[in-house]
Amino acid sequence: DLEKTVEDCIDLIEAAQSSNGYINTNFPEACAHERWTRVDTLHELFAAGHLIQAGIAHRRVRGKSRLFEIAVRFADHIYEVFGPGKKEEYPGHPEVSAALVELYRETGDRRYLDTAVFFTDQTGGKTMTEILGHAVKALFFNCDMADCYAETGDIAYKDSLESLWHSMVRTKMYVTGGVGGRPAGESVGREWELPHETGYAETCANIANVMWNWRMLILSGEARFADLMELALYNSVISGVSLSGTEYFYDNPHRTSGTGALPPDPWDYVESLRCRQIRQAWFDTACCPPNLARLIASLRGYFYTTSNEGIWMHLYDSGEVNWQLPDGTPVHLHTVTNYPWDGQIEIEVDVAETAEFSLFLRIPGWCQEAHLRVGGTDIVEKVEAGKYFEVRRVWDSGITRVELELSMLPEFITANPMLMEARGAVAIKRGPIVYCLESVDNPGFSVRNAQIITDECLQTEYHSELLGGVVLIKGNGLAPVREWGGLYRVRSQAWEEQSRSVSLIAVPYYTWANRGISEMTIWIRTDSN
C-alpha cells in the first residue's frame, strides 16, 4: 500500500515537470515568466533540494530510478540557470546544496558539486563566525557548508564551521540542545538570549542541529559532536512529537503556564505560535512532522561508522549490526542495554576469523566515571569522558564480550550568570536526559514557584508503565503557602512568606504535555537564592 502511494505521487510529480526539467506547481507553464524571480524569498530551490534527496533515497532503498531521473533533470536545469556568469543569486532557505552534494556522490557528476559550492559561497559561508538569523536556515546552511568542505577540503569552510559551532554552544543554545530563542523570525537572537516561556527552539532547527553535528563528527572523529547530537536527539528533537507519534510541537518552550493558549493579542502576530501548550495533529506550514519522520527513519545510520582502523559506536541502544572490515572479514555486533535509563552496555563482538582492528566506544562527556571489561578482563587504562576509547586488539574468531559501565547519577546543571532567566535556578540532568517539573506530577502548587533543595541527594525510580517507561527523579523542595500577591514588595517583607516542604517529581523533558495541558518548567529555583 505504501509503495503504491509513492508511485502515485511520482506520477503526479512527473506530470508536473516542465520539458526543461523545472518543477514547482506554484509556477506552472502559464506562470513560467515568474520562475526564479525571487529565489531569496520563495522556496523553489528549497523544494528542489528535498525532491532531489527523495529521488536519491528512493533509488537507494527500492532500487528504482524513475523519481531519481526526475530529480536529475531538475538538477540539470538548476545548473543551467545558476552559477558564475549566469544567475548569480543564492536560495533564501538552504537544502539544495546538501542535496546537490549528495547527487554528486551518487553520480560522480562534478556539475552538481560546483553548483552547491557556488550557492554556499554566494551566501558568504566562509566569512561567517556567529550564529545569526533564522535558526533552521542557519543550521541547515551549516550542513551544506560541512558537505562542501567534505568534498573540496577547502579549509576556510572548516574554520567558519568551528567558529559557528562555538558561537552556538557557548552562548546561543538551550540546555536541551534546542536552538532559536526568538518567536519573531523563528530566529537566533543575541548572545545569552534564551527565554524560557517564549523560547522557540523550533523542532526543525533541533533536527538540523543533529544533522550538522553528525557531519562535524564524521569529519573530525571528535566526541564533542556526538555528545551534542545525542543531547538534541534525546531532548529537543523528540519533544517535538508525542509518545503516540501522531501529534507535534512546532516550537519547544522550556516553561509553560499550564493555562492553555493565551487570549489573542492584537499587537503580536506571533502570539498564537508561542502559546501552544499541547501538541498539534498538523500545521499549516508542515515542515516539522515530515522532518521528524525523516530523522527517525534514518536513525539507525547514526549509531555506527567505520574507518580504516575499525568500527565506531557513537550512540547506544539494543540492536545488531552486520558489517565487514576493509579486507572483507565479516563482523557482527550485538548490543544489549537499557540505555539511557541504565549505563550498563554489553556488546558481543563476533568475527568470522581472527582479525586485528579497533572498536571505538564513545565515553559521553556527561559521564562521571566509566569502567570497561573486554573478554572478562578489566581495562586498567583511564577511560576519559568526552572522548572515544579505542579498544585495539586481535579479536579471536567467535564471540568476545565487551562490557561498558557508564555512571549515570542525576546532576544539577547551572547556567552562565549572563543567561539572566536562569539565574538562581538549576536544571536536572541524568545521563543524556534533561528533566522538567510538570504540574500533573506535582499537584497543589505552582512548579514555576517551587524551590529545590540542592544539598540533598536526588532519588531515581524506574517506572515501566509510565510515559512509555521512564526514570523519575525525586527531590525535596519548598512551595509557598500562598501566592506572592501583587507585583513588587520591599525585600524585608518578601521573605516573610511562609513555605511548606514538598516532594518534587521530575520527568524527562521530552515526555511533557503527553497527559494534557499542564504547567511545566525545566529551570527550578534553588533554596539558596
Side-chain angles (χ1 to χ4, degrees):
D1 290 342
L2 181 59
E3 185 156 24
K4 183 180 185 306
T5 300
V6 171
E7 292 297 328
D8 289 346
C9 288
I10 295 173
D11 289 341
L12 291 171
I13 294 168
E14 189 172 44
Q17 187 166 37
S18 297
S19 57
N20 65 1
Y22 180 93
I23 308 174
N24 194 304
T25 52
N26 287 299
F27 303 103
E29 294 294 342
C31 302
H33 61 284
E34 297 183 36
R35 296 171 180 173
W36 308 127
T37 57
R38 289 176 289 166
V39 294
D40 58 332
T41 55
L42 300 179
H43 283 355
E44 293 165 277
L45 287 169
F46 174 69
H50 282 295
L51 177 64
I52 293 167
Q53 294 277 27
I56 295 169
H58 192 233
R59 185 164 91 154
R60 288 176 178 171
V61 173
R62 300 300 299 153
K64 297 186 176 183
S65 61
R66 190 159 64 106
L67 184 60
F68 179 78
E69 291 167 357
I70 293 169
V72 167
R73 289 195 293 271
F74 199 1
D76 290 344
H77 172 70
I78 292 169
Y79 172 78
E80 293 298 326
V81 173
F82 294 92
K86 295 179 276 189
K87 183 178 279 294
E88 297 187 358
E89 299 180 34
Y90 59 87
H93 199 309
E95 168 66 22
V96 70
S97 290
L100 289 168
V101 171
E102 202 66 25
L103 189 59
Y104 161 70
R105 292 168 177 162
E106 190 74 5
T107 64
D109 191 329
R110 179 79 190 197
R111 295 178 303 158
Y112 306 134
L113 176 60
D114 291 343
T115 307
V117 168
F118 167 77
F119 284 139
T120 303
D121 291 349
Q122 282 290 106
T123 313
K126 294 178 182 178
T127 64
M128 294 180 181
T129 58
E130 182 181 0
I131 290 284
L132 294 167
H134 192 280
V136 181
K137 296 180 182 181
L139 269 62
F140 273 121
F141 178 76
N142 294 342
C143 294
D144 296 353
M145 191 152 53
D147 283 343
C148 288
Y149 170 59
E151 298 303 332
T152 66
D154 189 333
I155 200 70
Y157 290 130
K158 181 177 184 290
D159 292 342
S160 180
L161 288 165
E162 278 288 337
S163 296
L164 292 166
W165 192 87
H166 286 292
S167 168
M168 178 185 72
V169 171
R170 291 174 177 172
T171 64
K172 297 190 177 186
M173 187 181 74
Y174 283 99
V175 70
T176 57
V179 183
R182 290 184 178 178
E186 303 177 331
S187 63
V188 180
R190 296 170 289 116
E191 292 182 340
W192 321 111
E193 186 182 349
L194 296 167
H196 300 336
E197 195 150 348
T198 60
Y200 207 66
E202 184 181 337
T203 299
C204 281
N206 308 335
I207 292 170
N209 202 11
V210 172
M211 294 182 172
W212 176 29
N213 277 277
W214 168 249
R215 287 163 166 81
M216 298 295 282
L217 170 63
I218 296 306
L219 289 168
S220 68
E222 295 185 27
R224 58 183 166 126
F225 301 117
D227 282 348
L228 185 45
M229 187 172 71
E230 180 183 63
L231 175 70
L233 276 172
Y234 277 108
N235 298 287
S236 60
V237 168
I238 205 66
S239 65
V241 61
S242 64
L243 295 179
S244 67
T246 59
E247 295 173 319
Y248 307 89
F249 274 140
Y250 200 98
D251 47 320
N252 296 272
H254 283 198
R255 179 192 296 148
T256 61
S257 64
T259 58
L262 299 177
D265 182 347
W267 313 113
D268 190 349
Y269 75 96
V270 298
E271 193 72 55
S272 61
L273 292 177
R274 71 183 187 202
C275 294
R276 292 190 180 119
Q277 298 184 32
I278 191 166
R279 292 176 181 83
Q280 308 293 306
W282 202 247
F283 303 101
D284 291 339
T285 302
C287 54
C288 295
N291 216 351
L292 277 162
R294 172 173 69 157
L295 180 70
I296 292 171
S298 63
L299 193 59
R300 66 179 184 171
Y302 291 88
F303 276 74
Y304 308 92
T305 58
T306 60
S307 67
N308 290 334
E309 294 76 24
I311 300 175
W312 299 63
M313 295 187 69
H314 306 299
L315 302 172
Y316 298 110
D317 202 349
S318 293
E320 299 185 53
V321 60
N322 289 293
W323 205 246
Q324 63 279 329
L325 301 177
D327 65 1
T329 301
V331 178
H332 175 80
L333 301 182
H334 179 214
T335 304
V336 177
T337 182
N338 195 33
Y339 191 92
W341 312 122
D342 189 319
Q344 300 287 339
I345 303 162
E346 296 184 1
I347 307 157
E348 290 183 348
V349 181
D350 187 359
V351 293
E353 56 188 67
T354 300
E356 182 179 0
F357 63 92
S358 295
L359 179 64
F360 295 87
L361 302 173
R362 182 176 65 93
I363 312 301
W366 50 258
C367 181
Q368 302 96 332
E369 190 175 359
H371 299 283
L372 182 63
R373 289 170 61 87
V374 179
T377 302
D378 290 329
I379 300 296
V380 295
E381 299 172 57
K382 183 179 179 181
V383 181
E384 187 177 352
K387 303 284 186 181
Y388 282 89
F389 188 88
E390 181 181 4
V391 181
R392 182 76 185 182
R393 60 181 280 142
V394 176
W395 302 83
D396 295 330
S397 61
I399 295 174
T400 302
R401 186 181 299 274
V402 177
E403 300 167 87
L404 177 62
E405 181 182 350
L406 305 173
S407 64
M408 200 174 279
L409 298 174
E411 296 181 302
F412 291 115
I413 305 297
T414 58
N416 188 307
M418 293 295 289
L419 207 170
M420 297 293 289
E421 285 205 25
R423 282 186 177 180
V426 294
I428 298 173
K429 189 168 181 280
R430 180 177 181 267
I433 305 291
V434 176
Y435 280 72
C436 68
L437 299 182
E438 199 173 7
S439 58
V440 65
D441 304 300
N442 300 276
F445 59 91
S446 167
V447 296
R448 292 180 299 168
N449 287 336
Q451 302 177 42
I452 192 163
I453 299 173
T454 55
D455 58 0
E456 296 182 4
C457 292
L458 296 168
Q459 305 298 317
T460 60
E461 294 179 4
Y462 181 72
H463 290 257
S464 60
E465 77 290 348
L466 180 66
L467 296 167
V470 296
V471 167
L472 296 183
I473 295 180
K474 296 183 178 181
N476 293 321
L478 301 169
V481 172
R482 57 184 181 274
E483 292 302 319
W484 184 279
L487 187 57
Y488 304 107
R489 288 189 185 182
V490 176
R491 178 173 171 79
S492 60
Q493 297 174 347
W495 292 107
E496 294 175 1
E497 293 283 346
Q498 292 183 348
S499 297
R500 61 186 175 95
S501 297
V502 294
S503 177
L504 298 176
I505 298 176
V507 297
Y509 168 71
Y510 78 83
T511 68
W512 85 276
N514 276 280
R515 295 169 288 177
I517 293 175
S518 63
E519 187 182 7
M520 181 275 294
T521 186
I522 287 179
W523 292 96
I524 312 165
R525 295 169 56 207
T526 67
D527 54 311
S528 59
N529 65 323

